[in-house]
Amino acid sequence: MARTRKTPHPFDKHLGAAIRSARARRDLNRETLAARTGIPLSNLKRREDGVNETTVSELERIAAALRVSARDIVDMALQDYGADGRTGPSSPQDGLQKLLASVSEPPRTLEEADAVIYLGHVAPGRRDAANTDDRIAATD
């Protein structure tokens, strides 16, 4: 069975850009950062490009290798994510509000026909649960 490809959240691109920016400020190339963090180079590239999600563990290792706090990287990403291009600079709080609103929306992949009414817990009677073989059920 083929795996469905996961679509990254738009915030992932901003987080990747913040990681790349922090790496550039430390004058490190990807190879060196990958070696220091233990993250394979191809994975690190996908994180910086925003193609894949960055885990908290990876973010902590990256931040430690760059000698910057993970919070600083996330704040840079939130500030960039919150800017809409029309109102000028944004704060990390603006970005966080926007991020929370985007993940609070219901998934767009569900259709009205997919809604299932919850009926509660329904357990079979003891007699029905015990009689799984049709021959036994027929003799009762």
Side-chain angles (χ1 to χ4, degrees):
M1 184 162 94
R3 285 184 2 186
T4 57
R5 187 175 179 122
K6 222 169 136 177
T7 305
H9 189 278
F11 179 72
D12 293 321
K13 285 200 176 291
H14 297 278
L15 185 59
I19 291 169
R20 184 182 307 109
S21 175
R23 178 177 57 76
R25 279 197 309 275
R26 291 287 182 200
D27 199 29
L28 287 176
N29 59 33
R30 280 187 182 149
E31 292 81 8
T32 304
L33 183 58
R36 288 183 182 178
T37 60
I39 299 170
L41 180 59
S42 60
N43 289 0
L44 182 61
K45 180 180 180 341
R46 287 193 296 269
R47 279 16 173 218
E48 285 190 358
D49 293 344
V51 175
N52 286 77
E53 297 171 340
T54 303
T55 67
V56 172
S57 172
E58 290 169 335
L59 181 60
E60 288 175 340
R61 291 185 302 184
I62 291 167
L66 295 174
R67 294 185 312 243
V68 63
S69 74
R71 172 72 187 259
D72 288 343
I73 294 173
V74 171
D75 281 349
M76 286 185 344
L78 286 171
Q79 188 170 348
D80 189 37
Y81 183 68
D84 63 5
R86 290 176 281 144
T87 59
S90 167
S91 71
Q93 291 77 19
D94 294 336
L96 183 58
Q97 293 286 358
K98 183 178 176 182
L99 180 60
L100 289 174
S102 73
V103 296
S104 298
E105 296 172 0
R108 287 175 244 160
T109 57
L110 294 179
E111 305 271 334
E112 187 66 34
D114 294 327
V116 177
I117 298 172
Y118 177 70
L119 299 175
H121 180 71
V122 178
R126 278 187 283 159
R127 182 179 176 104
D128 293 333
N131 295 326
T132 56
D133 188 346
D134 290 354
R135 289 179 290 125
I136 296 172
T139 60
D140 286 344

